[in-house]
Amino acid sequence: MTSLHAHGRYTPGRQRPGVARLHVRTTLTDWKLGGLIEDSVLITSELATNAVSHAKGTGDYFELALRRRSGILVLEVADSYQWRMPELRKPGPDDPAGRGLLIVDALSQHWGVRPRHPGKTVWAHLPLHRAGQP
């Protein structure tokens, strides 16, 4: 299978995670990866919302990239917020936030963050076999 790639650039705003989710849903439908849509949309929602919430005022856009390669769907969200890298936390039951990366961790095979100039890229890998693909 050849590698497939899709990319989107979004201005920060409260509605933009929804536009990014729609892009993921449409792309995965086109790629015939319907079994990965729900998990991928939820991961996108968490990462895009973090980019909009935490990178507010630091850049004029965030980026979403999807790649299908070597049996893996790679989902990436990049922003220009460079002062703090995301970390997996264990929030208490009364903490109002901090569960986003727990969701990403639970739904993905692997995830991580890498610096870029400026900012960072948070990525997640989902195995294609979850979608019934070879």
Side-chain angles (χ1 to χ4, degrees):
M1 166 66 60
T2 59
S3 178
L4 296 174
H5 185 272
H7 184 268
R9 181 178 284 189
Y10 308 94
T11 56
R14 294 182 66 154
Q15 74 280 15
R16 296 306 179 209
V19 176
R21 288 190 302 266
L22 179 60
H23 178 76
V24 168
R25 185 175 296 280
T26 302
T27 299
L28 295 184
T29 298
D30 290 347
W31 291 354
K32 300 187 181 0
L33 293 175
L36 292 177
I37 289 174
E38 296 308 315
D39 287 352
S40 298
V41 165
L42 187 51
I43 289 170
T44 299
S45 185
E46 294 300 332
L47 297 181
T49 299
N50 283 350
V52 168
S53 298
H54 300 297
K56 187 175 183 180
T58 62
D60 57 356
Y61 61 87
F62 70 90
E63 296 175 315
L64 166 70
L66 295 165
R67 286 191 310 277
R68 176 181 173 167
R69 65 168 195 226
S70 304
I72 298 291
L73 175 68
V74 180
L75 189 154
E76 298 177 329
V77 173
D79 64 55
S80 59
Y81 186 66
Q82 59 194 18
W83 295 280
R84 196 170 120 196
M85 298 301 232
E87 295 178 10
L88 189 62
R89 299 184 332 180
K90 304 280 184 178
D94 296 329
D95 290 338
R99 291 171 181 79
L101 288 179
L102 286 173
I103 293 169
V104 172
D105 187 61
L107 296 178
S108 64
Q109 182 180 45
H110 302 288
W111 73 274
V113 60
R114 67 179 179 273
R116 69 181 209 159
H117 185 69
K120 66 187 167 306
T121 299
V122 183
W123 55 267
H125 291 176
L126 289 89
L128 295 180
H129 70 270
R130 289 171 53 185
Q133 300 296 319

